[in-house]
Amino acid sequence: MNRLLVLISIVMLYATAAFAGDTYFNNHPTMWKDPDILIWTPDAEPPIDPKEFCLSLRRNNTGIGEPKCRQFGEWERDSVAVRYANWLKLNMESRLEPEYLRARHPAMKAKLQELEDKIVLFVTSNGNKISVAIFDETATEPKSAGTLFQHGDKIALGDEIASEYFSGKTRRRLTKDERKKMQTAPDDLYQEVPKFVAWVGIGAGYSQAKIPLTPDNWYRSHIRSQVRNYRITKDSVSLWNFLDDSGPLFSVYAGGTWYGFIGLELIYRFAQHDVKTDSKDTVYKELDYWKFYQHEIGLNVLLSRTYPATKWLDITPFAFLGFQYSFFVEDIGLKDDVVKPSRAYGVRIEFEEAYKGALVGIGSQFVFKKHYGIGLRTGISSRGRNVYSDPTPDAAAEPTTIGASTIDWFISGGLEYHWSL
């Protein structure tokens, strides 16, 4: 008996999957209590029965009240609406965004605006599938769209449409006076509002002084340099003369784009660098450790373009250019048996309070189901001395030109969360 129940459950699961729909997008049309549902189709006969569909609505949404459903004959006899309906039938597919299905003809736009609190259910047969789109007065493109597998039972098909697209919370329909008051308010119904997409993320990566595909001799003096007597190197042009030039890099960032094209991103980056002390220098026998923590705060400008690869994956390649401030915090310690440090220890090298620099690079975001993302990026960052610092040499901070020309390459990946406003 138990095996029979399991078998029946498996068969029902496969049957449900076979008739499952494919929702392209669902921006949730306004659901009114006691609504008027106008069924609009370019087919000779609608794939669903209006009376039975009203019963499906009541079964699937207890708050919908007493819906009224009828075939939208006015639009089915109008040449402009018929042309738009046939165009929708041919062009609805999963990779399209809602704006690509927007009505362009002024007369069709006017018809949508005149719907008031009625809901138009566009439904048509496309081969072995039923295409569905829902319109209300708040937009000139469908609020929701998708497909269902066609089968002979109109009641079951109506139940599937009602369950997928009409199960939201309902609102009381507006009175005539309330509508008049709304008409006197600023009308932004058809304004082009920039779509703002925001994200936050955490990332990890790697940075090094040598930029790939560039000659080694550009970096040889920096990479091979070692610090003697706490502050002496062959030169002091780059921070990498004093610090290890490669290592892990961690970041936290938040940003957003307007129109899916231009955006801003605030970043914080952290890395740890050991000082490259010369092991042959006897003064370092007193030293236990010596390193600097690198903290960076920056702002990037991004140029991007989003490509919907599938209905659940968007790929957004981007390029970025920005600026940053870098702060190096020293962490140093002597061995436990050192009673008094050397004089050289007391006048060791110090870095500037802040370095200014630039960031430039490329990357891409892979966003799953509009919210969960993976971000990859690579680029070049620079650091330079603060031009407002005192140029007078200081014995405790010589040489003063440290970091005048510091550049490194980085690559990183991050986990992100995206949302739209």
Side-chain angles (χ1 to χ4, degrees):
M1 183 66 179
N2 290 337
R3 291 182 179 179
L4 179 60
L5 290 174
V6 171
L7 181 61
I8 292 173
S9 299
I10 293 173
V11 172
M12 291 180 65
L13 181 63
Y14 276 101
T16 302
F19 294 108
D22 184 10
T23 300
Y24 301 162
F25 54 87
N26 190 354
N27 295 325
H28 304 292
T30 303
M31 293 297 300
W32 302 107
K33 187 176 181 181
D34 304 326
D36 287 334
I37 309 294
L38 306 175
I39 299 171
W40 176 39
T41 178
D43 302 343
E45 181 181 350
I48 58 174
D49 181 84
K51 292 182 180 179
E52 292 293 344
F53 183 66
C54 268
L55 296 176
S56 296
L57 291 174
R58 295 176 62 182
R59 283 193 296 269
N60 285 276
N61 191 338
T62 56
I64 205 165
E66 297 289 338
K68 298 176 183 177
C69 306
R70 68 178 179 87
Q71 194 166 345
F72 202 7
E74 298 94 310
W75 279 17
E76 292 175 4
R77 293 187 295 270
D78 184 276
S79 60
V80 174
V82 168
R83 188 158 55 250
Y84 181 46
N86 288 323
W87 182 87
L88 279 175
K89 181 174 183 175
L90 293 174
N91 289 277
M92 284 179 61
E93 60 176 73
S94 59
R95 295 189 180 187
L96 292 180
E97 296 291 332
E99 54 264 28
Y100 293 126
L101 298 176
R102 181 175 298 162
R104 308 292 179 184
H105 197 286
M108 193 66 219
K109 290 182 180 180
K111 291 178 185 297
L112 290 166
Q113 191 175 15
E114 293 168 359
L115 287 175
E116 293 188 347
D117 51 11
K118 300 178 179 65
I119 296 175
V120 174
L121 171 61
F122 174 81
V123 57
T124 182
S125 177
N126 260 332
N128 64 340
K129 293 183 178 181
I130 298 294
S131 296
V132 175
I134 299 173
F135 296 83
D136 62 20
E137 65 179 328
T138 63
T140 57
E141 69 265 357
K143 300 291 288 187
S144 306
T147 60
L148 297 157
F149 283 99
Q150 186 165 235
H151 48 90
D153 192 340
K154 290 187 176 184
I155 296 176
L157 182 60
D159 284 339
E160 291 177 26
I161 295 174
S163 175
E164 180 66 24
Y165 299 105
F166 291 88
S167 57
K169 293 183 179 180
T170 58
R171 295 170 52 190
R172 177 181 61 82
R173 297 174 77 171
L174 302 177
T175 64
K176 291 183 178 180
D177 290 338
E178 288 172 332
R179 282 202 167 272
K180 288 180 180 179
K181 290 181 180 178
M182 286 184 64
Q183 289 173 358
T184 61
D187 182 14
D188 58 354
L189 192 58
Y190 294 101
Q191 289 181 1
E192 289 291 337
V193 179
K195 185 179 182 181
F196 181 72
V197 178
W199 63 84
V200 294
I202 55 173
Y206 180 82
S207 68
Q208 66 179 32
K210 185 182 186 308
I211 300 172
L213 305 178
T214 56
D216 292 342
N217 58 9
W218 290 6
Y219 315 94
R220 189 176 295 121
S221 63
H222 304 322
I223 294 174
R224 294 183 180 180
S225 174
Q226 291 184 321
V227 183
R228 295 180 293 109
N229 204 33
Y230 284 102
R231 64 179 183 178
I232 301 172
T233 66
K234 292 180 180 179
D235 62 62
S236 57
V237 172
S238 173
L239 290 169
W240 307 137
N241 280 88
F242 297 87
L243 304 178
D244 273 343
D245 60 277
S246 61
L249 178 70
F250 304 95
S251 60
V252 178
Y253 52 93
T257 56
W258 290 265
Y259 297 104
F261 170 65
I262 188 167
L264 291 174
E265 186 177 57
L266 181 67
I267 59 170
Y268 165 76
R269 309 199 311 168
F270 171 82
Q272 176 185 310
H273 300 277
D274 292 331
V275 179
K276 299 189 295 185
T277 55
D278 186 349
S279 59
K280 297 178 182 179
D281 194 330
T282 57
V283 72
Y284 292 128
K285 291 181 178 179
E286 66 182 357
L287 193 62
D288 187 21
Y289 58 87
W290 191 14
K291 54 192 173 185
F292 282 82
Y293 300 115
Q294 174 185 343
H295 304 273
E296 295 182 320
I297 299 174
L299 184 67
N300 289 332
V301 176
L302 295 91
L303 297 177
S304 64
R305 175 75 181 273
T306 298
Y307 298 92
T310 68
K311 67 176 182 180
W312 46 266
L313 172 62
D314 293 334
I315 300 176
T316 305
F318 61 85
F320 61 90
L321 175 66
F323 69 90
Q324 65 181 2
Y325 285 92
S326 301
F327 309 89
F328 290 86
V329 180
E330 184 183 42
D331 186 10
I332 191 170
L334 297 170
K335 293 179 179 178
D336 294 337
D337 58 350
V338 177
V339 178
K340 183 179 179 181
S342 64
R343 181 179 179 279
Y345 178 88
V347 293
R348 63 186 178 273
I349 191 67
E350 293 181 0
F351 293 151
E352 297 281 352
E353 292 184 358
Y355 293 88
K356 295 193 300 183
L359 290 159
V360 62
I362 58 173
S364 185
Q365 294 172 318
F366 302 84
V367 183
F368 302 87
K369 297 186 178 295
K370 304 295 183 183
H371 291 294
Y372 310 101
I374 296 174
L376 302 175
R377 64 186 66 201
T378 184
I380 299 171
S381 64
S382 69
R383 287 156 212 88
R385 289 193 305 123
N386 188 343
V387 297
Y388 301 108
S389 62
D390 185 1
T392 305
D394 188 303
E398 292 182 354
T400 59
T401 55
I402 289 175
S405 177
T406 299
I407 298 175
D408 62 61
W409 166 79
F410 65 89
I411 185 170
S412 66
L415 299 177
E416 303 173 352
Y417 182 79
H418 294 242
W419 70 95
S420 299
L421 299 177

